[in-house]
Amino acid sequence: MEPIAVFRKESFNAAHRLYNPAWSDEENRHVFGKCSNPNFHGHNYELEVKLAGPINPETGFVMDMKALSDLIQQEIIERFDHKNLNVECMEFKNLNPTAEHIALVIYQILRPHIHAALKLSVRLYETPRNFVEYPA
Amino acid sequence: MEPIAVFRKESFNAAHRLYNPAWSDEENRHVFGKCSNPNFHGHNYELEVKLAGPINPETGFVMDMKALSDLIQQEIIERFDHKNLNVECMEFKNLNPTAEHIALVIYQILRPHIHAALKLSVRLYETPRNFVEYPA
Amino acid sequence: MEPIAVFRKESFNAAHRLYNPAWSDEENRHVFGKCSNPNFHGHNYELEVKLAGPINPETGFVMDMKALSDLIQQEIIERFDHKNLNVECMEFKNLNPTAEHIALVIYQILRPHIHAALKLSVRLYETPRNFVEYPA
Amino acid sequence: MEPIAVFRKESFNAAHRLYNPAWSDEENRHVFGKCSNPNFHGHNYELEVKLAGPINPETGFVMDMKALSDLIQQEIIERFDHKNLNVECMEFKNLNPTAEHIALVIYQILRPHIHAALKLSVRLYETPRNFVEYPA
Amino acid sequence: MEPIAVFRKESFNAAHRLYNPAWSDEENRHVFGKCSNPNFHGHNYELEVKLAGPINPETGFVMDMKALSDLIQQEIIERFDHKNLNVECMEFKNLNPTAEHIALVIYQILRPHIHAALKLSVRLYETPRNFVEYPA
Amino acid sequence: MEPIAVFRKESFNAAHRLYNPAWSDEENRHVFGKCSNPNFHGHNYELEVKLAGPINPETGFVMDMKALSDLIQQEIIERFDHKNLNVECMEFKNLNPTAEHIALVIYQILRPHIHAALKLSVRLYETPRNFVEYPA
């Protein structure tokens, strides 16, 4: 049997700004436009976590969705929900919080908590029209 | 013929915090919880503007949706999109930017720009699960 | 007990153009823009039919949703689905097929088929961001 | 100022069958079709609770959405989620669990818990294409 | 030219419970929680069928979507819609009806009916927040 | 680091008919059914453009979503929005405008405008229930 994937969707709301400290304010404005507003803006982030692997024959699960939901809640939602990513989250102290980087950080946080036999990927919607997926 | 309604949906992304300056920080935290985070959080706000009235027999329109979209863009989206509502928007200098108050402010901004024969109402989604409508 | 409403959602795909025959081509272009393209464009129309009234104590239904779905299918979907509204539908031979007018026509077609004790209204989505409701 | 409405959306999953005990099995099958399957079927019910009234000037809220969410969780979700409505829920021991009746029951359960100054209504999606609203 | 994929989405409503007959009731409750309720609960299942392969140069289709829709209707929807998966569907007499297993069964039912040159996969939404895909 | 993907969603409305000029009208009707209506029908097409590749360390972007949105607007939306694909778009003068072919054409138009290091794919929704993806 080929691997099967399970997906769990959660959401969090956060403030951020796009900013490269190596650049002048003018360069930041030029590249990031209104996304670089120094007073921040924010999003409802929708997160889809995907795990691919074999079905456990005893449970019929790849992973218990309740356990996966609890894990995402504990490791991701409590960390980022209703936070200012630039100011309050050490993960983005030296990393520009683009959707790409947020997805990458979420992947790195979750990976050690997921069974090694399962392939992990994350999709993050910054808006309904802008989203990212890692790994592609 | 009874009135007919037209709806136009637009969206903006903004940062905010819930805060009553008449209260101590502790009271703010107690009532508003994580929504009162002094570093702000944010949302993708979805706005539905509804106009009810007669159909113009020449155009078949209650109002040209392109003109309504342009009006919302100019009066609302340019004002609030990618902004910090508490810090940058004078409308919320002395008004707590709850979804209720944001909807009320949007109504008051749009009302003078809409033909007096048309009944206006606005629905604002703060998240897909929390939304408001004024007037009810 | 106050009235309760039931809603049934169906969809159809059609071509149309906006056009007032009393006007010159230039006036049509000026008012309706690209919606007036003489070669037509089209939409996936989403239709929500709402009936409000008492619950039948024997069935627990305001109206059987299967019967309502069949009625919409027979009277609306078969009439307009995969049609050119301007060219093939007599309802729009002398009526500009704006979303407002299409909703009004659907209301008038359905009204005689719905029990007189039930209040009917229709909501029609032309796109996910433009929609109308009659009566308002 | 006119009343303003706030909405909170929650969901639950349940099994049910449509059945009138005053009728023969054949009559039940005739009227309710496959919805009357004696072995039950089920739905993901989506519930929208709407409260209309004045804004509390101290909080900027009609009602705290967190408190409303907790109330719905405690009174509705814990009662009906992952339940068999016909077999396990006393509210439907003698009441056919149509969407109309479920919405009515939810209204009656919530009403005493909501401040008397607020107008309550509930919308219940049985499927994305079939839904009800009480009062209409 | 690389392969292209077509997708068709259908839905069905069913009751189920999660249950491993090799375990005690207590073990079932411990592992499956409220999903193991012996009186069943249910879902609106959303099914996306994906076929990847070459475009037929005469039709411009990978497969006629009407034919694919009819096939899903006949082989899947008529089999599972408004059914109790555990009690009435032989496919789950000895197989725990988790989303993973339902997707696998749907794949196995459809595979012989799909042209061998086309790669099949199925995505099944148990709720808008829990879904699976086979093969991954 | 593995590649990461970014997605941008845009939409356009167009009329079309399915038609193979090598066939008789009767054959066209037989194969394409109501989709072959000579007076055309239409759709709200939803387009998702996916780019996979490395993150630019200076911006934190795979590609600036604003620039991608502008590119899609300029190359795809202006070309196809509010158009009759069969009559007005040279790309479909000799190519049946099935969803498969439209996706393929969009891919071919966009490919030269996208950096060679980025893998491009497009997903096109003809309706919420019928969609295609190229390459699969």
Side-chain angles (χ1 to χ4, degrees), chain D residues 13-15 34-35 37 39-44 46 81-84 87-88 126-128, chain E residues 13-15 34-35 37 39-44 46 81-84 87-88 126-128:
Chain D
N13 312 316
K34 59 188 179 181
C35 297
N37 179 355
N39 294 308
F40 310 105
H41 64 285
H43 298 289
N44 302 332
E46 294 277 340
D81 189 35
H82 283 75
K83 293 288 174 60
N84 184 313
V87 171
E88 297 177 290
E126 191 171 81
T127 73
Chain E
N13 312 315
K34 58 188 180 180
C35 298
N37 177 356
N39 294 307
F40 311 105
H41 64 285
H43 297 290
N44 303 331
E46 294 277 340
D81 188 36
H82 283 74
K83 293 286 174 59
N84 184 313
V87 172
E88 297 178 289
E126 192 172 81
T127 73

Side-chain angles (χ1 to χ4, degrees), chain A residues 37-52:
Chain A
N37 178 354
N39 293 307
F40 312 103
H41 65 285
H43 298 288
N44 302 332
Y45 290 95
E46 294 276 341
L47 170 65
E48 285 177 14
V49 174
K50 176 185 179 181
L51 303 181

Side-chain angles (χ1 to χ4, degrees), chain B residues 85-132:
Chain B
L85 300 179
N86 304 68
V87 172
E88 298 178 290
C89 299
M90 63 167 192
E91 294 82 0
F92 301 104
K93 277 284 155 62
N94 300 302
L95 187 68
N96 195 3
T98 58
E100 288 90 329
H101 282 156
I102 303 172
L104 197 59
V105 161
I106 290 173
Y107 177 91
Q108 289 163 343
I109 293 170
L110 290 178
R111 184 64 269 187
H113 297 277
I114 302 290
H115 194 292
L118 301 181
K119 184 174 183 307
L120 165 69
S121 64
V122 303
R123 180 180 276 210
L124 183 74
Y125 289 80
E126 191 171 81
T127 74
R129 297 197 167 265
N130 283 347
F131 46 107
V132 303

Side-chain angles (χ1 to χ4, degrees), chain C residues 14-64:
Chain C
H16 79 153
R17 69 174 295 208
L18 300 187
Y19 181 68
N20 181 339
W23 294 345
S24 69
D25 284 359
E26 200 186 325
E27 280 175 296
N28 272 285
R29 259 196 313 276
H30 177 67
V31 173
F32 297 123
K34 59 188 179 179
C35 298
S36 194
N37 177 355
N39 294 307
F40 311 103
H41 64 285
H43 297 288
N44 302 332
Y45 290 96
E46 294 277 341
L47 171 64
E48 285 178 14
V49 174
K50 175 185 180 181
L51 303 181
I55 296 179
N56 176 327
E58 293 221 326
T59 58
F61 288 156
V62 170
M63 179 178 173
D64 180 348

Side-chain angles (χ1 to χ4, degrees), chain C residues 1 4-7 55 59-63 65, chain D residues 12 16-18 32 35 41 43 45-47 85 92 95-107 122-127 129-134:
Chain C
M1 201 196 113
I4 185 166
V6 295
F7 301 74
I55 296 179
T59 58
F61 288 156
V62 170
M63 179 178 173
M65 285 291 95
Chain D
F12 60 95
H16 79 152
R17 68 174 296 207
L18 301 186
F32 297 123
C35 297
H41 64 285
H43 298 289
Y45 291 95
E46 294 277 340
L47 171 65
L85 300 180
F92 302 105
L95 187 68
N96 194 4
T98 59
E100 288 91 328
H101 281 156
I102 303 172
L104 196 59
V105 162
I106 290 173
Y107 177 91
V122 303
R123 180 180 276 211
L124 184 74
Y125 289 80
E126 191 171 81
T127 73
R129 298 200 165 263
N130 283 346
F131 47 107
V132 304
E133 195 171 277
Y134 179 78

Side-chain angles (χ1 to χ4, degrees), chain B residues 16-119:
Chain B
H16 79 151
R17 69 174 296 208
L18 301 187
Y19 180 68
N20 181 339
W23 295 345
S24 69
D25 284 0
E26 200 186 325
E27 280 176 295
N28 272 286
R29 259 196 313 276
H30 177 67
V31 173
F32 297 124
K34 59 189 179 178
C35 297
S36 195
N37 178 355
N39 294 308
F40 311 104
H41 65 285
H43 297 289
N44 302 332
Y45 291 95
E46 294 277 340
L47 171 65
E48 285 177 14
V49 174
K50 175 184 179 181
L51 303 180
I55 296 178
N56 175 328
E58 294 220 325
T59 57
F61 288 155
V62 170
M63 178 178 173
D64 180 347
M65 285 291 94
K66 179 70 172 60
L68 179 56
S69 172
D70 289 349
L71 173 67
I72 301 170
Q73 199 65 37
Q74 188 182 308
E75 293 297 327
I76 307 299
I77 308 306
E78 292 197 3
R79 197 182 297 243
F80 297 138
D81 189 36
H82 283 75
K83 293 287 174 59
N84 184 312
L85 300 179
N86 304 68
V87 172
E88 298 178 290
C89 299
M90 63 167 192
E91 294 82 0
F92 301 104
K93 277 284 155 62
N94 300 302
L95 187 68
N96 195 3
T98 58
E100 288 90 329
H101 282 156
I102 303 172
L104 197 59
V105 161
I106 290 173
Y107 177 91
Q108 289 163 343
I109 293 170
L110 290 178
R111 184 64 269 187
H113 297 277
I114 302 290
H115 194 292
L118 301 181
K119 184 174 183 307

Side-chain angles (χ1 to χ4, degrees), chain E residues 54-72:
Chain E
I55 296 178
N56 175 327
E58 293 220 325
T59 57
F61 287 155
V62 170
M63 180 178 173
D64 180 347
M65 284 291 95
K66 178 68 173 61
L68 179 56
S69 173
D70 288 348
L71 173 68
I72 300 170

